[in-house]
Amino acid sequence: MLSIVILAAGQGIRMRSQVPKVMHLLAGRTLLEHVYIAASRLRSRRIHVVYGSGGDQVPKAHPGLDVSWVEQRRQLGTGHAVMQVIDDIPANDTVMVLYGDVPLITFETLDQLEEAARESDLCLLTSMLDDPHGYGRILRNDRGGILGIVEEKDASDAEREICEVNTGMMAVRSRLLKHWLGNLGTHNAQGEFYLTDIVRMAVDEEAVINSTSADSPTEVHGVNTKAQLAELERYYQLIQAHQLMSQGVTLRDPARFDMRGDLEVGSDVVIDVNVVIEGSVSIGNNVQIGPNCLIRDADIGDDVQIFANSVIDNAVIGARGRIGPFSRIRPHTRLSEGVHVGNFVELKNAEVGEDGRINHLSYVGDAEIGRAANIGAGTITCNFDGANKHKTIIGDDVFVGSDTQLVAPVRVGDGATIGAGTTVTRDVEAGALAISRVEQRAVKGWKRPKKQ
Ligand code: UD1
Ligand code: MG
């Protein structure tokens, strides 16, 4: 069996934040979730997370993770962190140690590490870096066998030329790990229990040491500062953008696309610049999304066109819909097929039947609108009486004239017409015309006031 230990107890002082480091977000997920997602794809494993800084904030922020949480009350180093959990791990397991602040590690690399660990007592994940500054270097003999790790501070000039670095991640036989942890001391610059010191012990005891290397150096980059977080975010966004393009999505500029969640996408989808996708979004075939749109937790049907500067949040947009520019579709809105929603229209908890039109400057909230209804410019559903929300129900083929207020709760029957400027306070029968207007009068020869 494989036991995975994710170290996540550090505060991350250089983040300059009250939030524990592993709770910072990268592409909409916490750093810890990224590591968890990669680790949880490994077969027959148990995952332990060592948390500490910020108290139970970290476990509370991750109720969905299938892990056992282990508290490290004081952060006395990476070796000390692993000591907190080692007694819960069966002696015959292999223990894989991962870092909660190294978010882009991939399943493929972990799988490779697990595989390589089968033939060894201790297997290190290393990486070749163009600039290895700050990392521990891997020392090898003529035949490539690992001799040890030398930390930057202790390295000779020749050793500093070595570009193969220790990522800190490793897989170790549980029984040996426990034995080595028991011998760790704190005689080092930081006075901490360094997990990495077990490598020297393994060399001394002539244990079988092996290593495997991550494909991309970025996979093993840790997040210590906001600048590093931003760097990894951009890198990850580009990977996602390229994955979407390989599925056939047209991105006008992959450097100006952000996905913070999951996107399921059909064919011939075109996405213009500065579009942000959040949560869980599905997009059908032949969909076009204009610049500067935010789409969160939404289901977008086939042949939909979303024009610039629209926000869609927790909504369903039926096939052939046209949204925006400048539309705001708020939660629990469901548009049937062929609905057009235009500029400066806000919809909230609204259902709109097939071929409905709400083209200009309207607020429609807590409403049910039938098929082929036309909602004129400046229509407002007055859904809130100051204490409670009420519903507006509009039938099929209703024509609502411009600048109408519908004071909910109210119903308008099928085929009814509402004259422009009407305040609808009572139900309107099917087929009727409702109009409430002060009659127009004309004052002939009216003289405008003159400036004195
Ligand atoms: C560590 C390695 C170093 C490696 C580098 C790669 C050691 C001694 N050094 O250094 O060789 O090149 O990572 O990124 O292991 N943590 C705890 N409890 C603690 C201390 C740390 O859970 O008491 C966690 C942190 O939250 C973090 C991880 O362990 O997720 C790494 O700790 P950090 O202090 O950042 O180690 P580095 O100095 O980066
Ligand atoms: Mg670190």
Side-chain angles (χ1 to χ4, degrees), residues 101-114:
D101 63 350
V102 182
L104 299 189
I105 190 72
T106 61
F107 158 72
E108 287 75 15
T109 297
L110 298 183
D111 192 41
Q112 208 178 293
L113 177 60
E114 184 187 13

Side-chain angles (χ1 to χ4, degrees), residues 6-12 14 21-22 50-52 72 74-82 98-102 134-136 149 151 165-169 190 192-197 220-224:
I6 304 178
L7 305 188
Q11 171 60 34
R14 282 176 290 163
K21 179 156 70 171
V22 295
V50 181
Y51 71 98
Q72 182 193 22
R74 293 201 299 148
Q75 286 72 61
L76 303 178
T78 47
H80 181 257
V82 179
L98 305 179
Y99 288 5
D101 63 350
V102 182
Y135 286 87
I149 296 175
E151 291 299 321
V165 304
N166 173 36
T167 67
M169 290 172 267
Q190 304 186 68
E192 290 185 351
F193 293 97
Y194 286 170
L195 177 64
T196 43
D197 284 350
V220 300
H221 281 182
V223 173
N224 294 306

Side-chain angles (χ1 to χ4, degrees), residues 30-48:
T30 67
L31 300 181
L32 178 58
E33 268 179 283
H34 281 277
V35 180
Y36 172 82
I37 289 169
S40 61
R41 286 180 61 192
L42 292 165
R43 266 167 285 123
S44 94
R45 69 337 183 238
R46 275 181 286 254
I47 302 180
H48 306 260

Side-chain angles (χ1 to χ4, degrees), residues 134-137 150-156 160 188-190 194:
Y135 286 87
R137 311 294 207 283
V150 59
E151 291 299 321
E152 170 95 12
K153 287 176 204 137
D154 308 315
S156 66
R160 284 190 187 152
N188 52 57
Q190 304 186 68
Y194 286 170

Side-chain angles (χ1 to χ4, degrees), residues 123-183:
C123 184
L124 296 174
L125 180 66
T126 71
S127 180
M128 297 303 273
L129 298 186
D130 291 339
D131 176 15
H133 181 81
Y135 286 87
R137 311 294 207 283
I138 306 291
L139 305 178
R140 293 179 182 271
N141 64 24
D142 310 342
R143 284 162 292 120
I146 291 179
L147 295 174
I149 296 175
V150 59
E151 291 299 321
E152 170 95 12
K153 287 176 204 137
D154 308 315
S156 66
D157 287 348
E159 285 166 344
R160 284 190 187 152
E161 298 291 303
I162 298 170
C163 288
E164 189 184 12
V165 304
N166 173 36
T167 67
M169 290 172 267
M170 57 177 83
V172 195
R173 288 193 196 288
S174 175
R175 188 182 299 105
L176 287 168
L177 177 59
K178 187 169 178 171
H179 158 63
W180 290 325
L181 287 175
N183 293 335

